[in-house]
Amino acid sequence: MRCPNCGSLDDKVLESRTMVNGESIRRRRECIACGYRFTSYERIDEKPFMVIKRDGRRQPFDSQKLSKGIERALEKRPVSTNMVEQITNDIEDQAIKISKEAREISTSDLGELVLEMLYEVDKVAYIRFASVYRHFEDLDEFITEVRNIEKRGKK
Ligand SMILES: [Zn+2]
């Protein structure tokens, strides 16, 4: 994309994110020649990315909803707001990649992606999210999950 500052065509994308309406992508770009940063918007012509709910209904992927869930799990944890955004973007990217041509993902697959990501970032957040998401039946189940984490952590 042509740099508005120096006209060079060489740039790198710093950040991409799908807009809430699901119809355009906003990219932060940096000109490799002069370092100028600018934003581009691209319309998506392909079908929107959808989430298949447990009852089989489909709804457009909502990255704000996802980031709220992640934020809640990370509340009072030593993780920046920036990081929440980064995690949300990473999960969305992965979800889209996994879905391939179908461009849809089940809520359970999406939930597993979130768990994987939170597991890497913060174990407490992982447990919080898992306890809501997986609806642990009882305390034993919860403790088993905590032990599993401890075991994995020792590897
Ligand atoms: Zn430039």
Side-chain angles (χ1 to χ4, degrees), residues 95-129:
I96 289 174
K97 209 157 93 189
I98 291 169
S99 75
K100 290 186 184 127
E101 296 298 302
R103 291 193 59 77
E104 54 186 30
I105 190 168
S106 65
T107 46
S108 62
D109 285 348
L110 188 61
E112 292 302 322
L113 276 179
V114 176
L115 285 174
E116 265 174 47
M117 193 66 81
L118 287 179
Y119 182 80
E120 295 299 323
V121 175
D122 188 288
K123 303 291 185 284
V124 172
Y126 168 85
I127 288 290
R128 281 181 188 161
F129 191 87

PDB file of all heavy atoms in Angstrom, residues 95-129:
ATOM      1  N   ALA A  95      -8.950 -18.856  14.925  1.00  0.00           N
ATOM      2  CA  ALA A  95     -10.283 -19.403  14.670  1.00  0.00           C
ATOM      3  C   ALA A  95     -10.598 -19.353  13.178  1.00  0.00           C
ATOM      4  O   ALA A  95     -11.096 -20.322  12.599  1.00  0.00           O
ATOM      5  CB  ALA A  95     -11.327 -18.635  15.468  1.00  0.00           C
ATOM      6  N   ILE A  96     -10.269 -18.229  12.551  1.00  0.00           N
ATOM      7  CA  ILE A  96     -10.536 -18.072  11.119  1.00  0.00           C
ATOM      8  C   ILE A  96      -9.689 -19.060  10.319  1.00  0.00           C
ATOM      9  O   ILE A  96     -10.149 -19.668   9.361  1.00  0.00           O
ATOM     10  CB  ILE A  96     -10.303 -16.613  10.665  1.00  0.00           C
ATOM     11  CG1 ILE A  96     -11.410 -15.723  11.244  1.00  0.00           C
ATOM     12  CG2 ILE A  96     -10.258 -16.502   9.150  1.00  0.00           C
ATOM     13  CD1 ILE A  96     -11.241 -14.249  11.016  1.00  0.00           C
ATOM     14  N   LYS A  97      -8.450 -19.238  10.765  1.00  0.00           N
ATOM     15  CA  LYS A  97      -7.543 -20.156  10.079  1.00  0.00           C
ATOM     16  C   LYS A  97      -8.082 -21.594  10.158  1.00  0.00           C
ATOM     17  O   LYS A  97      -8.119 -22.305   9.158  1.00  0.00           O
ATOM     18  CB  LYS A  97      -6.148 -20.065  10.709  1.00  0.00           C
ATOM     19  CG  LYS A  97      -5.024 -20.372   9.741  1.00  0.00           C
ATOM     20  CD  LYS A  97      -3.727 -19.756  10.198  1.00  0.00           C
ATOM     21  CE  LYS A  97      -2.923 -20.739  11.028  1.00  0.00           C
ATOM     22  NZ  LYS A  97      -1.744 -20.104  11.662  1.00  0.00           N
ATOM     23  N   ILE A  98      -8.496 -21.993  11.351  1.00  0.00           N
ATOM     24  CA  ILE A  98      -9.019 -23.346  11.558  1.00  0.00           C
ATOM     25  C   ILE A  98     -10.274 -23.586  10.714  1.00  0.00           C
ATOM     26  O   ILE A  98     -10.463 -24.651  10.138  1.00  0.00           O
ATOM     27  CB  ILE A  98      -9.350 -23.583  13.049  1.00  0.00           C
ATOM     28  CG1 ILE A  98      -8.067 -23.635  13.875  1.00  0.00           C
ATOM     29  CG2 ILE A  98     -10.145 -24.878  13.232  1.00  0.00           C
ATOM     30  CD1 ILE A  98      -8.305 -23.607  15.368  1.00  0.00           C
ATOM     31  N   SER A  99     -11.124 -22.570  10.650  1.00  0.00           N
ATOM     32  CA  SER A  99     -12.424 -22.733   9.979  1.00  0.00           C
ATOM     33  C   SER A  99     -12.290 -22.896   8.462  1.00  0.00           C
ATOM     34  O   SER A  99     -13.193 -23.408   7.806  1.00  0.00           O
ATOM     35  CB  SER A  99     -13.320 -21.538  10.280  1.00  0.00           C
ATOM     36  OG  SER A  99     -12.917 -20.420   9.535  1.00  0.00           O
ATOM     37  N   LYS A 100     -11.157 -22.447   7.937  1.00  0.00           N
ATOM     38  CA  LYS A 100     -10.881 -22.512   6.497  1.00  0.00           C
ATOM     39  C   LYS A 100     -12.019 -21.942   5.648  1.00  0.00           C
ATOM     40  O   LYS A 100     -12.488 -20.856   5.919  1.00  0.00           O
ATOM     41  CB  LYS A 100     -10.566 -23.954   6.093  1.00  0.00           C
ATOM     42  CG  LYS A 100      -9.224 -24.401   6.643  1.00  0.00           C
ATOM     43  CD  LYS A 100      -8.859 -25.785   6.121  1.00  0.00           C
ATOM     44  CE  LYS A 100      -7.558 -26.255   6.772  1.00  0.00           C
ATOM     45  NZ  LYS A 100      -7.700 -27.565   7.388  1.00  0.00           N
ATOM     46  N   GLU A 101     -12.431 -22.709   4.624  1.00  0.00           N
ATOM     47  CA  GLU A 101     -13.440 -22.212   3.680  1.00  0.00           C
ATOM     48  C   GLU A 101     -14.797 -21.986   4.338  1.00  0.00           C
ATOM     49  O   GLU A 101     -15.561 -21.117   3.935  1.00  0.00           O
ATOM     50  CB  GLU A 101     -13.613 -23.199   2.519  1.00  0.00           C
ATOM     51  CG  GLU A 101     -12.378 -23.372   1.659  1.00  0.00           C
ATOM     52  CD  GLU A 101     -11.966 -22.075   0.979  1.00  0.00           C
ATOM     53  OE1 GLU A 101     -12.792 -21.514   0.245  1.00  0.00           O
ATOM     54  OE2 GLU A 101     -10.820 -21.630   1.197  1.00  0.00           O
ATOM     55  N   ALA A 102     -15.091 -22.813   5.344  1.00  0.00           N
ATOM     56  CA  ALA A 102     -16.416 -22.757   5.968  1.00  0.00           C
ATOM     57  C   ALA A 102     -16.672 -21.390   6.619  1.00  0.00           C
ATOM     58  O   ALA A 102     -17.792 -20.901   6.640  1.00  0.00           O
ATOM     59  CB  ALA A 102     -16.549 -23.862   7.003  1.00  0.00           C
ATOM     60  N   ARG A 103     -15.619 -20.796   7.127  1.00  0.00           N
ATOM     61  CA  ARG A 103     -15.732 -19.521   7.836  1.00  0.00           C
ATOM     62  C   ARG A 103     -16.764 -19.549   8.955  1.00  0.00           C
ATOM     63  O   ARG A 103     -17.546 -18.613   9.124  1.00  0.00           O
ATOM     64  CB  ARG A 103     -16.001 -18.369   6.853  1.00  0.00           C
ATOM     65  CG  ARG A 103     -14.783 -18.089   5.966  1.00  0.00           C
ATOM     66  CD  ARG A 103     -14.891 -16.793   5.209  1.00  0.00           C
ATOM     67  NE  ARG A 103     -15.045 -15.623   6.052  1.00  0.00           N
ATOM     68  CZ  ARG A 103     -14.063 -15.030   6.737  1.00  0.00           C
ATOM     69  NH1 ARG A 103     -12.852 -15.517   6.695  1.00  0.00           N
ATOM     70  NH2 ARG A 103     -14.299 -13.968   7.453  1.00  0.00           N
ATOM     71  N   GLU A 104     -16.759 -20.667   9.686  1.00  0.00           N
ATOM     72  CA  GLU A 104     -17.578 -20.724  10.890  1.00  0.00           C
ATOM     73  C   GLU A 104     -16.927 -21.670  11.885  1.00  0.00           C
ATOM     74  O   GLU A 104     -16.202 -22.585  11.516  1.00  0.00           O
ATOM     75  CB  GLU A 104     -19.007 -21.164  10.562  1.00  0.00           C
ATOM     76  CG  GLU A 104     -19.083 -22.467   9.787  1.00  0.00           C
ATOM     77  CD  GLU A 104     -20.508 -22.795   9.342  1.00  0.00           C
ATOM     78  OE1 GLU A 104     -21.288 -21.854   9.120  1.00  0.00           O
ATOM     79  OE2 GLU A 104     -20.811 -23.990   9.239  1.00  0.00           O
ATOM     80  N   ILE A 105     -17.168 -21.401  13.155  1.00  0.00           N
ATOM     81  CA  ILE A 105     -16.563 -22.212  14.211  1.00  0.00           C
ATOM     82  C   ILE A 105     -17.602 -22.427  15.297  1.00  0.00           C
ATOM     83  O   ILE A 105     -18.438 -21.551  15.544  1.00  0.00           O
ATOM     84  CB  ILE A 105     -15.280 -21.534  14.768  1.00  0.00           C
ATOM     85  CG1 ILE A 105     -14.516 -22.481  15.685  1.00  0.00           C
ATOM     86  CG2 ILE A 105     -15.612 -20.217  15.480  1.00  0.00           C
ATOM     87  CD1 ILE A 105     -13.115 -21.997  16.039  1.00  0.00           C
ATOM     88  N   SER A 106     -17.581 -23.586  15.940  1.00  0.00           N
ATOM     89  CA  SER A 106     -18.540 -23.843  17.020  1.00  0.00           C
ATOM     90  C   SER A 106     -18.073 -23.119  18.273  1.00  0.00           C
ATOM     91  O   SER A 106     -16.871 -22.880  18.453  1.00  0.00           O
ATOM     92  CB  SER A 106     -18.654 -25.344  17.279  1.00  0.00           C
ATOM     93  OG  SER A 106     -17.429 -25.839  17.769  1.00  0.00           O
ATOM     94  N   THR A 107     -19.021 -22.776  19.143  1.00  0.00           N
ATOM     95  CA  THR A 107     -18.635 -22.095  20.383  1.00  0.00           C
ATOM     96  C   THR A 107     -17.695 -22.965  21.204  1.00  0.00           C
ATOM     97  O   THR A 107     -16.815 -22.449  21.875  1.00  0.00           O
ATOM     98  CB  THR A 107     -19.866 -21.734  21.254  1.00  0.00           C
ATOM     99  OG1 THR A 107     -20.720 -22.865  21.325  1.00  0.00           O
ATOM    100  CG2 THR A 107     -20.622 -20.565  20.675  1.00  0.00           C
ATOM    101  N   SER A 108     -17.866 -24.301  21.119  1.00  0.00           N
ATOM    102  CA  SER A 108     -16.979 -25.142  21.929  1.00  0.00           C
ATOM    103  C   SER A 108     -15.544 -25.128  21.393  1.00  0.00           C
ATOM    104  O   SER A 108     -14.600 -25.077  22.169  1.00  0.00           O
ATOM    105  CB  SER A 108     -17.524 -26.569  22.045  1.00  0.00           C
ATOM    106  OG  SER A 108     -17.608 -27.178  20.789  1.00  0.00           O
ATOM    107  N   ASP A 109     -15.376 -25.136  20.067  1.00  0.00           N
ATOM    108  CA  ASP A 109     -14.018 -25.033  19.512  1.00  0.00           C
ATOM    109  C   ASP A 109     -13.397 -23.684  19.850  1.00  0.00           C
ATOM    110  O   ASP A 109     -12.209 -23.581  20.154  1.00  0.00           O
ATOM    111  CB  ASP A 109     -14.034 -25.222  17.991  1.00  0.00           C
ATOM    112  CG  ASP A 109     -14.233 -26.678  17.606  1.00  0.00           C
ATOM    113  OD1 ASP A 109     -14.129 -27.537  18.503  1.00  0.00           O
ATOM    114  OD2 ASP A 109     -14.491 -26.957  16.428  1.00  0.00           O
ATOM    115  N   LEU A 110     -14.230 -22.651  19.784  1.00  0.00           N
ATOM    116  CA  LEU A 110     -13.751 -21.315  20.115  1.00  0.00           C
ATOM    117  C   LEU A 110     -13.323 -21.259  21.584  1.00  0.00           C
ATOM    118  O   LEU A 110     -12.262 -20.727  21.920  1.00  0.00           O
ATOM    119  CB  LEU A 110     -14.858 -20.291  19.837  1.00  0.00           C
ATOM    120  CG  LEU A 110     -14.482 -18.817  19.943  1.00  0.00           C
ATOM    121  CD1 LEU A 110     -13.404 -18.440  18.945  1.00  0.00           C
ATOM    122  CD2 LEU A 110     -15.711 -17.938  19.736  1.00  0.00           C
ATOM    123  N   GLY A 111     -14.143 -21.865  22.439  1.00  0.00           N
ATOM    124  CA  GLY A 111     -13.826 -21.905  23.867  1.00  0.00           C
ATOM    125  C   GLY A 111     -12.507 -22.617  24.136  1.00  0.00           C
ATOM    126  O   GLY A 111     -11.710 -22.171  24.954  1.00  0.00           O
ATOM    127  N   GLU A 112     -12.267 -23.700  23.397  1.00  0.00           N
ATOM    128  CA  GLU A 112     -11.012 -24.433  23.570  1.00  0.00           C
ATOM    129  C   GLU A 112      -9.810 -23.578  23.155  1.00  0.00           C
ATOM    130  O   GLU A 112      -8.762 -23.627  23.783  1.00  0.00           O
ATOM    131  CB  GLU A 112     -11.019 -25.740  22.771  1.00  0.00           C
ATOM    132  CG  GLU A 112     -12.003 -26.791  23.299  1.00  0.00           C
ATOM    133  CD  GLU A 112     -11.752 -27.178  24.761  1.00  0.00           C
ATOM    134  OE1 GLU A 112     -10.581 -27.268  25.170  1.00  0.00           O
ATOM    135  OE2 GLU A 112     -12.738 -27.364  25.485  1.00  0.00           O
ATOM    136  N   LEU A 113      -9.989 -22.802  22.099  1.00  0.00           N
ATOM    137  CA  LEU A 113      -8.922 -21.894  21.661  1.00  0.00           C
ATOM    138  C   LEU A 113      -8.590 -20.880  22.751  1.00  0.00           C
ATOM    139  O   LEU A 113      -7.420 -20.595  23.021  1.00  0.00           O
ATOM    140  CB  LEU A 113      -9.342 -21.129  20.397  1.00  0.00           C
ATOM    141  CG  LEU A 113      -9.149 -21.798  19.046  1.00  0.00           C
ATOM    142  CD1 LEU A 113      -9.648 -20.864  17.941  1.00  0.00           C
ATOM    143  CD2 LEU A 113      -7.681 -22.125  18.811  1.00  0.00           C
ATOM    144  N   VAL A 114      -9.664 -20.336  23.355  1.00  0.00           N
ATOM    145  CA  VAL A 114      -9.464 -19.353  24.426  1.00  0.00           C
ATOM    146  C   VAL A 114      -8.717 -20.004  25.587  1.00  0.00           C
ATOM    147  O   VAL A 114      -7.760 -19.432  26.127  1.00  0.00           O
ATOM    148  CB  VAL A 114     -10.820 -18.791  24.925  1.00  0.00           C
ATOM    149  CG1 VAL A 114     -10.606 -17.847  26.100  1.00  0.00           C
ATOM    150  CG2 VAL A 114     -11.560 -18.082  23.804  1.00  0.00           C
ATOM    151  N   LEU A 115      -9.121 -21.220  25.930  1.00  0.00           N
ATOM    152  CA  LEU A 115      -8.473 -21.926  27.036  1.00  0.00           C
ATOM    153  C   LEU A 115      -6.987 -22.158  26.755  1.00  0.00           C
ATOM    154  O   LEU A 115      -6.147 -21.926  27.609  1.00  0.00           O
ATOM    155  CB  LEU A 115      -9.172 -23.263  27.295  1.00  0.00           C
ATOM    156  CG  LEU A 115     -10.527 -23.163  27.997  1.00  0.00           C
ATOM    157  CD1 LEU A 115     -11.196 -24.525  28.064  1.00  0.00           C
ATOM    158  CD2 LEU A 115     -10.371 -22.585  29.397  1.00  0.00           C
ATOM    159  N   GLU A 116      -6.695 -22.603  25.543  1.00  0.00           N
ATOM    160  CA  GLU A 116      -5.297 -22.833  25.165  1.00  0.00           C
ATOM    161  C   GLU A 116      -4.469 -21.565  25.342  1.00  0.00           C
ATOM    162  O   GLU A 116      -3.368 -21.570  25.872  1.00  0.00           O
ATOM    163  CB  GLU A 116      -5.208 -23.238  23.692  1.00  0.00           C
ATOM    164  CG  GLU A 116      -5.165 -24.729  23.453  1.00  0.00           C
ATOM    165  CD  GLU A 116      -5.215 -25.035  21.976  1.00  0.00           C
ATOM    166  OE1 GLU A 116      -4.468 -24.398  21.210  1.00  0.00           O
ATOM    167  OE2 GLU A 116      -6.028 -25.898  21.585  1.00  0.00           O
ATOM    168  N   MET A 117      -5.049 -20.468  24.859  1.00  0.00           N
ATOM    169  CA  MET A 117      -4.341 -19.192  24.892  1.00  0.00           C
ATOM    170  C   MET A 117      -4.155 -18.709  26.326  1.00  0.00           C
ATOM    171  O   MET A 117      -3.065 -18.314  26.717  1.00  0.00           O
ATOM    172  CB  MET A 117      -5.154 -18.165  24.090  1.00  0.00           C
ATOM    173  CG  MET A 117      -4.406 -16.912  23.775  1.00  0.00           C
ATOM    174  SD  MET A 117      -3.034 -17.194  22.663  1.00  0.00           S
ATOM    175  CE  MET A 117      -3.900 -17.219  21.104  1.00  0.00           C
ATOM    176  N   LEU A 118      -5.221 -18.769  27.123  1.00  0.00           N
ATOM    177  CA  LEU A 118      -5.128 -18.309  28.510  1.00  0.00           C
ATOM    178  C   LEU A 118      -4.173 -19.179  29.312  1.00  0.00           C
ATOM    179  O   LEU A 118      -3.477 -18.703  30.201  1.00  0.00           O
ATOM    180  CB  LEU A 118      -6.511 -18.305  29.176  1.00  0.00           C
ATOM    181  CG  LEU A 118      -7.457 -17.200  28.720  1.00  0.00           C
ATOM    182  CD1 LEU A 118      -8.797 -17.330  29.432  1.00  0.00           C
ATOM    183  CD2 LEU A 118      -6.870 -15.819  28.979  1.00  0.00           C
ATOM    184  N   TYR A 119      -4.141 -20.468  28.960  1.00  0.00           N
ATOM    185  CA  TYR A 119      -3.239 -21.374  29.652  1.00  0.00           C
ATOM    186  C   TYR A 119      -1.792 -20.897  29.508  1.00  0.00           C
ATOM    187  O   TYR A 119      -1.003 -20.945  30.443  1.00  0.00           O
ATOM    188  CB  TYR A 119      -3.396 -22.793  29.112  1.00  0.00           C
ATOM    189  CG  TYR A 119      -2.525 -23.781  29.832  1.00  0.00           C
ATOM    190  CD1 TYR A 119      -2.914 -24.289  31.064  1.00  0.00           C
ATOM    191  CD2 TYR A 119      -1.309 -24.181  29.299  1.00  0.00           C
ATOM    192  CE1 TYR A 119      -2.110 -25.170  31.748  1.00  0.00           C
ATOM    193  CE2 TYR A 119      -0.494 -25.067  29.989  1.00  0.00           C
ATOM    194  CZ  TYR A 119      -0.906 -25.556  31.208  1.00  0.00           C
ATOM    195  OH  TYR A 119      -0.093 -26.426  31.893  1.00  0.00           O
ATOM    196  N   GLU A 120      -1.464 -20.417  28.310  1.00  0.00           N
ATOM    197  CA  GLU A 120      -0.107 -19.919  28.055  1.00  0.00           C
ATOM    198  C   GLU A 120       0.164 -18.618  28.803  1.00  0.00           C
ATOM    199  O   GLU A 120       1.274 -18.375  29.252  1.00  0.00           O
ATOM    200  CB  GLU A 120       0.096 -19.654  26.552  1.00  0.00           C
ATOM    201  CG  GLU A 120       0.027 -20.885  25.668  1.00  0.00           C
ATOM    202  CD  GLU A 120       1.099 -21.896  26.008  1.00  0.00           C
ATOM    203  OE1 GLU A 120       2.223 -21.476  26.344  1.00  0.00           O
ATOM    204  OE2 GLU A 120       0.797 -23.112  25.965  1.00  0.00           O
ATOM    205  N   VAL A 121      -0.883 -17.797  28.909  1.00  0.00           N
ATOM    206  CA  VAL A 121      -0.690 -16.442  29.428  1.00  0.00           C
ATOM    207  C   VAL A 121      -0.761 -16.364  30.947  1.00  0.00           C
ATOM    208  O   VAL A 121       0.090 -15.753  31.594  1.00  0.00           O
ATOM    209  CB  VAL A 121      -1.741 -15.478  28.820  1.00  0.00           C
ATOM    210  CG1 VAL A 121      -1.638 -14.093  29.435  1.00  0.00           C
ATOM    211  CG2 VAL A 121      -1.560 -15.396  27.315  1.00  0.00           C
ATOM    212  N   ASP A 122      -1.798 -16.981  31.521  1.00  0.00           N
ATOM    213  CA  ASP A 122      -2.023 -16.827  32.957  1.00  0.00           C
ATOM    214  C   ASP A 122      -2.877 -17.978  33.482  1.00  0.00           C
ATOM    215  O   ASP A 122      -4.025 -18.143  33.083  1.00  0.00           O
ATOM    216  CB  ASP A 122      -2.723 -15.478  33.201  1.00  0.00           C
ATOM    217  CG  ASP A 122      -2.837 -15.139  34.680  1.00  0.00           C
ATOM    218  OD1 ASP A 122      -3.642 -15.783  35.379  1.00  0.00           O
ATOM    219  OD2 ASP A 122      -2.116 -14.239  35.124  1.00  0.00           O
ATOM    220  N   LYS A 123      -2.301 -18.772  34.383  1.00  0.00           N
ATOM    221  CA  LYS A 123      -2.975 -19.984  34.843  1.00  0.00           C
ATOM    222  C   LYS A 123      -4.247 -19.674  35.636  1.00  0.00           C
ATOM    223  O   LYS A 123      -5.227 -20.408  35.577  1.00  0.00           O
ATOM    224  CB  LYS A 123      -2.026 -20.831  35.702  1.00  0.00           C
ATOM    225  CG  LYS A 123      -0.732 -21.236  35.002  1.00  0.00           C
ATOM    226  CD  LYS A 123      -0.953 -22.241  33.887  1.00  0.00           C
ATOM    227  CE  LYS A 123       0.364 -22.727  33.292  1.00  0.00           C
ATOM    228  NZ  LYS A 123       1.002 -21.742  32.386  1.00  0.00           N
ATOM    229  N   VAL A 124      -4.213 -18.584  36.393  1.00  0.00           N
ATOM    230  CA  VAL A 124      -5.401 -18.217  37.169  1.00  0.00           C
ATOM    231  C   VAL A 124      -6.556 -17.861  36.229  1.00  0.00           C
ATOM    232  O   VAL A 124      -7.692 -18.302  36.418  1.00  0.00           O
ATOM    233  CB  VAL A 124      -5.095 -17.028  38.121  1.00  0.00           C
ATOM    234  CG1 VAL A 124      -6.376 -16.515  38.777  1.00  0.00           C
ATOM    235  CG2 VAL A 124      -4.087 -17.445  39.182  1.00  0.00           C
ATOM    236  N   ALA A 125      -6.244 -17.094  35.209  1.00  0.00           N
ATOM    237  CA  ALA A 125      -7.260 -16.716  34.224  1.00  0.00           C
ATOM    238  C   ALA A 125      -7.795 -17.961  33.527  1.00  0.00           C
ATOM    239  O   ALA A 125      -8.995 -18.073  33.249  1.00  0.00           O
ATOM    240  CB  ALA A 125      -6.671 -15.748  33.201  1.00  0.00           C
ATOM    241  N   TYR A 126      -6.905 -18.886  33.276  1.00  0.00           N
ATOM    242  CA  TYR A 126      -7.298 -20.143  32.633  1.00  0.00           C
ATOM    243  C   TYR A 126      -8.345 -20.869  33.470  1.00  0.00           C
ATOM    244  O   TYR A 126      -9.386 -21.284  32.973  1.00  0.00           O
ATOM    245  CB  TYR A 126      -6.064 -21.021  32.417  1.00  0.00           C
ATOM    246  CG  TYR A 126      -6.379 -22.441  32.019  1.00  0.00           C
ATOM    247  CD1 TYR A 126      -6.609 -22.760  30.687  1.00  0.00           C
ATOM    248  CD2 TYR A 126      -6.452 -23.447  32.976  1.00  0.00           C
ATOM    249  CE1 TYR A 126      -6.914 -24.071  30.327  1.00  0.00           C
ATOM    250  CE2 TYR A 126      -6.751 -24.747  32.626  1.00  0.00           C
ATOM    251  CZ  TYR A 126      -6.976 -25.060  31.296  1.00  0.00           C
ATOM    252  OH  TYR A 126      -7.280 -26.341  30.949  1.00  0.00           O
ATOM    253  N   ILE A 127      -8.052 -21.006  34.766  1.00  0.00           N
ATOM    254  CA  ILE A 127      -8.975 -21.683  35.684  1.00  0.00           C
ATOM    255  C   ILE A 127     -10.310 -20.946  35.754  1.00  0.00           C
ATOM    256  O   ILE A 127     -11.376 -21.549  35.717  1.00  0.00           O
ATOM    257  CB  ILE A 127      -8.354 -21.790  37.105  1.00  0.00           C
ATOM    258  CG1 ILE A 127      -7.234 -22.829  37.104  1.00  0.00           C
ATOM    259  CG2 ILE A 127      -9.405 -22.164  38.132  1.00  0.00           C
ATOM    260  CD1 ILE A 127      -7.699 -24.255  36.946  1.00  0.00           C
ATOM    261  N   ARG A 128     -10.244 -19.628  35.829  1.00  0.00           N
ATOM    262  CA  ARG A 128     -11.474 -18.832  35.885  1.00  0.00           C
ATOM    263  C   ARG A 128     -12.329 -19.076  34.655  1.00  0.00           C
ATOM    264  O   ARG A 128     -13.525 -19.326  34.741  1.00  0.00           O
ATOM    265  CB  ARG A 128     -11.139 -17.344  35.943  1.00  0.00           C
ATOM    266  CG  ARG A 128     -10.729 -16.851  37.304  1.00  0.00           C
ATOM    267  CD  ARG A 128     -10.469 -15.373  37.193  1.00  0.00           C
ATOM    268  NE  ARG A 128      -9.883 -14.829  38.402  1.00  0.00           N
ATOM    269  CZ  ARG A 128      -9.231 -13.669  38.423  1.00  0.00           C
ATOM    270  NH1 ARG A 128      -9.081 -12.965  37.315  1.00  0.00           N
ATOM    271  NH2 ARG A 128      -8.739 -13.211  39.546  1.00  0.00           N
ATOM    272  N   PHE A 129     -11.678 -18.989  33.499  1.00  0.00           N
ATOM    273  CA  PHE A 129     -12.432 -19.150  32.253  1.00  0.00           C
ATOM    274  C   PHE A 129     -12.975 -20.572  32.151  1.00  0.00           C
ATOM    275  O   PHE A 129     -14.131 -20.783  31.791  1.00  0.00           O
ATOM    276  CB  PHE A 129     -11.548 -18.822  31.049  1.00  0.00           C
ATOM    277  CG  PHE A 129     -12.320 -18.712  29.761  1.00  0.00           C
ATOM    278  CD1 PHE A 129     -12.897 -17.513  29.380  1.00  0.00           C
ATOM    279  CD2 PHE A 129     -12.485 -19.816  28.937  1.00  0.00           C
ATOM    280  CE1 PHE A 129     -13.625 -17.409  28.204  1.00  0.00           C
ATOM    281  CE2 PHE A 129     -13.220 -19.724  27.766  1.00  0.00           C
ATOM    282  CZ  PHE A 129     -13.786 -18.514  27.403  1.00  0.00           C
TER     283      PHE A 129
END
